Amino acid sequence: MTDQKEPRKQVRLSTLKKMHENGEPIVMLTCYDASFAHLLDEAGVDMLLVGDSLGMTVQGNSTTIPVSVEDMEYHTRCVAKGNKTAFILTDLPFGSYQVNDEEGMANCIRLIKAGANMVKLEGGEEICPLVRRLTAAGVPVCGHIGFTPQSINTIGGFFVQGKSDSGKEKLKREALALQEAGAAMVLFEMVPADIAAEVTQLLHVPTIGIGAGSGTSGQVLVLQDILNIYAGRKPKFSKNFMEGADSIQGAVENYVKAVKSKDFPTQSHSF
């Protein structure tokens, strides 16, 4: 007889907190449809990120700026239909929460009703009032700091954040402020590995890194990047997991194993 794989239990926020406390890396990948939601869930991915990166990978835009709330709601519904046990995190797109908190609240509720388990907002101290209101209303929030793609017109390009002393202090201040406001998770994008690891130790909530080294509670990458099918810019922090894999499922499983075993990311994928 062959050993049957024990079905995975539903991944909940409490599951992710326990993983963080126990030092078990959290695995996240972007996902935009039902078919891949099913595949990623079966491969053992803990969190599915319905990212506004779909503006680039799915819609063919050069940035995430054009993505609408309707886009995010549609793709969240698709992912929710294909998923069984993974935790779904959905991005709030540009313009959906910056105008006022009332509009931000309404749009977050739309995404939760569409199937998201948590919403992600870019920004630091300036979004804390909205984070407090969302948390009080029972909406789990993930903060996103460091390089924030929705601010690319202000930042001026794809640049690492937090390299200077003042930049490092800003990251610490923003992360602690988000946690104090009620954020249940913080994502660091394109920040030096040492500062991401240091801030992770200061927080009691899980952290997720993308181009932030191995010292965070978990890792996230763009699905199309690990499958080497995105025609756009290949970021330093990503890796082609199709190399050595005999299928897409195998590539995703290799990514899961690499993150869980802490073999990814390496120093070459960090700043």
Side-chain angles (χ1 to χ4, degrees):
M1 292 179 64
T2 57
D3 293 334
Q4 290 188 339
K5 184 179 178 182
E6 184 178 343
R8 181 168 72 164
K9 295 181 180 179
Q10 185 73 42
V11 178
R12 305 183 187 279
L13 185 56
S14 58
T15 311
L16 300 172
K17 289 179 179 178
K18 187 172 293 185
M19 291 172 68
H20 165 67
E21 293 167 359
N22 294 339
E24 178 186 349
I26 298 167
V27 182
M28 187 193 300
L29 271 175
T30 61
C31 187
Y32 316 109
D33 62 47
S35 296
F36 270 108
H38 176 75
L39 187 150
L40 269 56
D41 183 37
E42 288 290 307
V45 176
D46 300 308
M47 299 184 68
L48 308 181
L49 171 61
V50 186
D52 58 1
S53 51
L54 66 86
M56 302 163 76
T57 59
V58 177
Q59 298 175 339
N61 299 311
S62 60
T63 71
T64 64
I65 301 299
V67 178
S68 68
V69 176
E70 289 74 22
D71 293 333
M72 299 308 300
E73 184 177 22
Y74 169 78
H75 286 279
T76 298
R77 289 190 189 281
C78 292
V79 169
K81 288 178 180 178
N83 176 56
K84 289 184 179 180
T85 65
F87 191 88
I88 299 175
L89 170 63
T90 298
D91 278 338
L92 266 291
F94 179 72
S96 65
Y97 58 100
Q98 290 92 345
V99 176
N100 57 63
D101 287 358
E102 285 68 27
E103 185 175 5
M105 286 285 296
N107 288 327
C108 285
I109 291 170
R110 284 179 65 177
L111 297 180
I112 293 294
K113 286 186 174 182
N117 302 118
M118 174 185 275
V119 295
K120 179 163 71 65
L121 290 72
E122 295 184 9
E125 293 165 295
E126 71 277 9
I127 66 167
C128 284
L130 177 55
V131 173
R132 290 190 182 91
R133 288 190 61 182
L134 288 167
T135 302
V139 178
V141 177
C142 174
H144 181 154
I145 57 177
F147 175 72
T148 48
Q150 293 175 14
S151 302
I152 192 165
N153 289 328
T154 300
I155 296 172
F158 295 87
F159 301 122
V160 179
Q161 303 296 301
K163 295 172 69 175
S164 65
D165 289 342
S166 61
K168 291 179 180 179
E169 288 304 313
K170 179 183 178 183
L171 283 172
K172 290 181 186 178
R173 187 172 65 250
E174 288 181 334
L176 289 168
L178 286 166
Q179 176 180 262
E180 189 277 332
M185 184 176 290
V186 179
L187 185 146
F188 300 111
E189 181 167 357
M190 290 178 62
V191 303
D194 58 343
I195 186 64
E198 181 181 344
V199 177
T200 295
Q201 293 302 312
L202 293 175
L203 302 177
H204 58 72
V205 298
T207 61
I208 303 294
I210 178 167
S214 60
T216 52
S217 310
Q219 301 293 326
V220 62
L221 286 177
V222 172
L223 176 63
Q224 282 80 353
D225 284 344
I226 76 162
L227 300 180
N228 198 36
I229 59 174
Y230 177 52
R233 175 178 175 269
K234 298 293 190 295
K236 169 187 175 178
F237 52 75
S238 192
K239 179 181 177 179
N240 176 14
F241 280 90
M242 282 300 296
E243 291 184 354
D246 59 3
S247 66
I248 291 175
Q249 179 93 15
V252 175
E253 290 175 349
N254 288 343
Y255 169 67
V256 173
K257 291 175 185 175
V259 174
K260 292 290 186 182
S261 64
K262 302 184 180 180
D263 290 329
F264 178 85
T266 65
Q267 189 171 1
S268 65
H269 304 108
S270 308
F271 297 101

